[in-house]
Amino acid sequence: MKSNLVLVGFMGAGKSVIGKTLAKMLEMDIVDTDKMIESKMNMKINEIFEKYGEEYFRNIETEIAKDCLNFSNTIISTGGGIVLKEENINYLKQNSVVFLLNASAETIYDRVKNKTDRPLLKVENPLEKIKEMLEFRKKYYEGSADHIITTDNKSIMEVSSEIKKIYITN
Ligand code: S3P
């Protein structure tokens, strides 16, 4: 059995909260690639985007994806754009089963609309932007996933139990 469990998916798909629940259920450690980036840079994601731009952020994200090769028995919750580089997915897949958390644009909008920590959604019409980004990223998300989990209208426990069942029989 591959030792880590990676969660990918769009911002607001529930990766962090599902990751925490799964870590308890499966008695695994948990890391979050955005938090690893923030610790490495000693800066918040927003500040990194503002000061250095997205490309710079993406390069650090790749270094962090590579660092994930050192983990075992760990849930790895990722930033929503990690799937955009094949190199990142190649690192993550080496020792992990990858679960994609899917949600509709409307569900995502509902979950992120009152938050200010998503630099890419600081635009006039966030719902439109989410739709465009989801459309563009669909092939990257689906291409990276070993398993696809739909989260719309499901509770945290339902989604986590579904993932646990697949993971332990893998
Ligand atoms: C991003 C998602 C964010 C964070 C950054 C870029 C993206 O992570 O990595 O703002 O490109 O989708 P979350 O998915 O945890 O919000």
Side-chain angles (χ1 to χ4, degrees):
M1 183 163 119
K2 286 188 172 173
S3 125
N4 301 317
L5 191 164
V6 168
L7 296 173
V8 299
F10 202 79
M11 295 171 257
K15 292 163 292 182
S16 302
V17 62
I18 301 291
K20 281 181 197 146
T21 310
L22 277 168
K24 284 194 196 121
M25 285 169 90
L26 291 162
E27 297 183 356
M28 291 170 77
D29 295 326
I30 175 148
V31 296
D32 178 309
T33 59
D34 280 345
K35 292 210 180 101
M36 290 167 74
I37 294 170
E38 290 186 335
S39 317
K40 185 172 179 139
M41 298 298 297
N42 202 17
M43 287 169 95
K44 290 283 172 200
I45 301 290
N46 265 335
E47 281 178 85
I48 302 172
F49 270 76
E50 268 161 33
K51 202 159 173 197
Y52 300 114
E54 181 171 353
E55 196 182 334
Y56 183 88
F57 170 84
R58 295 294 173 209
N59 290 337
I60 313 279
E61 190 171 52
T62 296
E63 288 172 22
I64 295 296
K66 194 171 181 186
D67 291 346
C68 288
L69 288 169
N70 298 320
F71 295 130
S72 60
N73 196 43
T74 300
I75 311 269
I76 304 171
S77 172
T78 61
I82 207 153
V83 296
L84 297 172
K85 273 198 210 168
E86 200 179 352
E87 185 183 355
N88 298 348
I89 296 301
N90 290 341
Y91 291 134
L92 293 173
K93 271 198 179 276
Q94 282 189 36
N95 196 22
S96 312
V97 186
V98 179
F99 287 83
L100 166 62
L101 300 185
N102 258 345
S104 70
E106 288 72 19
T107 302
I108 287 166
Y109 176 65
D110 233 45
R111 290 179 187 158
V112 302
K113 67 182 178 212
N114 296 321
K115 306 232 168 101
T116 55
D117 58 351
R118 274 29 186 256
L120 295 175
L121 298 179
K122 287 184 182 169
V123 294
E124 210 166 292
N125 190 338
L127 178 58
E128 256 331 289
K129 175 85 177 177
I130 291 167
K131 285 182 182 165
E132 277 168 28
M133 288 176 79
L134 273 178
E135 181 62 29
F136 175 77
R137 290 182 175 185
K138 189 174 158 57
K139 57 182 177 299
Y140 295 97
Y141 285 129
E142 290 180 359
S144 72
D146 295 307
H147 304 280
I148 299 176
I149 312 292
T150 304
T151 67
D152 293 292
N153 306 316
K154 287 184 191 159
S155 70
I156 294 166
M157 276 318 283
E158 278 174 311
V159 174
S160 305
S161 304
E162 199 175 324
I163 294 175
K164 177 184 169 185
K165 212 160 133 192
I166 299 170
Y167 180 74
I168 60 177
T169 52
N170 225 271

